[in-house]
Amino acid sequence: MRSSRLQQLTQSLPPVYFSFIMATGIVSIGAHLAGLETISIPLFWLNKVVYVCLLILLAGRLLFFFPALLAELTSHDKGPVFFTIVAGSAVLGVQYKLLEQNNDRALLLLVFAVAVWLLVVYTFFVGTIVASEKPTLEKGLNGTWLLLVVSIQSLAVLGTLLTPHLPYSATIGLFSTVCAFLVGFLFYLIFVTLILYRLLFMPEKAENFTPPYWIDMGAVAITTLAGATLTETIQTTVGTGLADVLPFIKGISILAWSTATWWIPLIILLEIWRHGVKNVPLTYSPPYWSLVFPLGMYMVCTWRLSEALRMPFLRPISHACLYVALIAWGLTFLGLGAQIARSFSQQQQPD
């Protein structure tokens, strides 16, 4: 029975579970910045354990169920979710860097994340471009497409933090992360335009407005974090030749933070419409971690932006968002626990 259950879990494992790593990691980092180590450290250890388990299951699926995995990776609907593997690995790498000062493991996770990103991004784009049958924009596009942006910017953040420990000059390292930062922002502009077009000019069912739409905000929040991290690093690194692009990076960072702030009330109102007006039940599902991650990311990016631009008046916003993110993480974790308990109870019932 247990062997059959494990095989079923491996065969059907959706990569969206790596959004648990993203959400838990960013909330842990936010708690660390606020000095709440009693919260930050346990979440870090939880992330380590869950990440290893997910990697083992993913490796099993890759080895034994590769055709089904490839079909998902090259589909418009499920393919973008694979970028959570990249973002989750990079966020865990940032945890190793900030919480444990373990540069070697952080660097190992960066290398792994870059390799997975290259594999996923080109397999996904080639597969969807050459597909003979394609969905309409209404059916094929949603907030998960912005996980591409999240994955790129997560690499930019971790790469920037590890610049002094990379096996080449700081100039090359920072130039690479600046390029990643700019490419990520470009993809955001492209995809968010299509998403807004879909939302504004095509019918939207309440059932389809799922938690991943919070990534509309989370993608620009992590862009802000990448820009703030680059700003601080370039300012303190001598002789990189990148000082001239600092005003541009700062401008994009403020634009990204403003955009993320604009999204929050709109998404909250649409959530009220979904659950309060259309009575869609509020039940746990793995995509809800895609809601927790943007909340935690908004807290962290606001904190780092206030430091990078010397704007302390932003700090209270960050503190308030931390508690919102902690509550959201706790409620989602309780939902996960309840789902596991129900699943275990059903297995114990006799046929």
Side-chain angles (χ1 to χ4, degrees):
M1 176 69 73
R2 290 182 179 178
S3 177
S4 176
R5 176 61 178 170
L6 181 61
Q7 180 179 351
Q8 181 182 1
L9 181 62
T10 303
Q11 183 177 2
S12 61
L13 175 75
V16 71
Y17 277 109
F18 279 89
S19 60
F20 173 90
I21 305 297
M22 297 164 56
T24 304
I26 201 61
V27 171
S28 172
I29 292 168
H32 170 73
L33 292 176
L36 302 176
E37 300 301 337
T38 54
I39 296 176
S40 177
I41 299 302
L43 291 179
F44 182 27
W45 279 98
L46 176 63
N47 238 17
K48 292 180 185 181
V49 174
V50 176
Y51 181 77
V52 172
C53 294
L54 288 176
L55 275 188
I56 293 173
L57 291 173
L58 181 65
R61 192 176 184 207
L62 183 65
L63 289 173
F64 301 111
F65 307 103
F66 179 74
L69 183 145
L70 182 61
E72 288 188 11
L73 177 55
T74 54
S75 72
H76 289 73
D77 183 36
K78 298 180 179 180
V81 180
F82 282 81
F83 289 110
T84 59
I85 303 172
V86 178
S89 301
V91 169
L92 183 60
V94 174
Q95 284 184 281
Y96 272 110
K97 171 63 179 175
L98 297 182
L99 277 68
E100 206 172 80
Q101 290 76 52
N102 193 327
N103 298 317
D104 292 336
R105 290 191 180 179
L107 183 57
L108 180 63
L109 283 165
L110 175 62
V111 172
F112 174 73
V114 170
V116 173
W117 185 84
L118 290 171
L119 180 65
V120 169
V121 73
Y122 289 108
T123 303
F124 171 69
F125 271 93
V126 171
T128 52
I129 289 172
V130 303
S132 56
E133 296 183 5
K134 300 182 182 182
T136 62
L137 184 66
E138 182 180 0
K139 294 182 178 180
L141 182 70
N142 55 55
T144 60
W145 279 66
L146 288 170
L147 286 169
L148 171 60
V149 177
V150 173
S151 67
I152 297 174
Q153 300 297 13
S154 68
L155 295 177
V157 172
L158 181 56
T160 302
L161 291 174
L162 290 174
T163 295
H165 310 285
L166 296 175
Y168 39 78
S169 70
T171 300
I172 296 176
L174 287 175
F175 179 77
S176 301
T177 53
V178 167
C179 289
F181 168 72
L182 295 176
V183 169
F185 186 65
L186 174 63
F187 272 114
Y188 181 81
L189 295 177
I190 294 171
F191 289 146
V192 82
T193 301
L194 294 173
I195 290 171
L196 276 173
Y197 172 77
R198 179 188 183 280
L199 290 173
L200 291 171
F201 296 100
M202 297 180 183
E204 182 67 22
K205 295 181 180 179
E207 295 81 4
N208 295 335
F209 193 80
T210 54
Y213 272 104
W214 278 88
I215 305 172
D216 295 350
M217 182 272 282
V220 265
I222 195 172
T223 299
T224 305
L225 177 61
T229 306
L230 277 166
T231 296
E232 286 197 305
T233 305
I234 292 173
Q235 286 175 338
T236 56
T237 305
V238 180
T240 63
L242 293 170
D244 290 341
V245 302
L246 263 180
F248 183 61
I249 294 174
K250 290 180 180 179
I252 291 181
S253 300
I254 295 174
L255 173 60
W257 185 85
S258 303
T259 305
T261 304
W262 177 86
W263 269 112
I264 294 174
L266 176 61
I267 299 177
I268 290 175
L269 290 172
L270 289 173
E271 289 284 3
I272 294 172
W273 165 75
R274 181 176 188 245
H275 298 292
V277 178
K278 296 299 183 179
N279 297 317
V280 176
L282 185 62
T283 56
Y284 170 81
S285 62
Y288 267 97
W289 294 109
S290 298
L291 180 156
V292 179
F293 173 76
L295 294 174
M297 180 54 69
Y298 186 78
M299 176 270 161
V300 173
C301 82
T302 303
W303 186 292
R304 296 290 286 163
L305 187 69
S306 71
E307 291 181 334
L309 302 184
R310 309 296 187 266
M311 294 180 176
F313 59 85
L314 292 175
R315 190 65 60 83
I317 300 175
S318 184
H319 277 290
C321 290
L322 172 61
Y323 295 107
V324 173
L326 285 171
I327 292 171
W329 187 93
L331 292 174
T332 309
F333 189 74
L334 287 175
L336 171 62
Q339 185 187 66
I340 294 173
R342 285 194 300 269
S343 177
F344 182 77
S345 176
Q346 292 172 359
Q347 291 180 36
Q348 300 304 312
Q349 292 178 358
D351 296 333

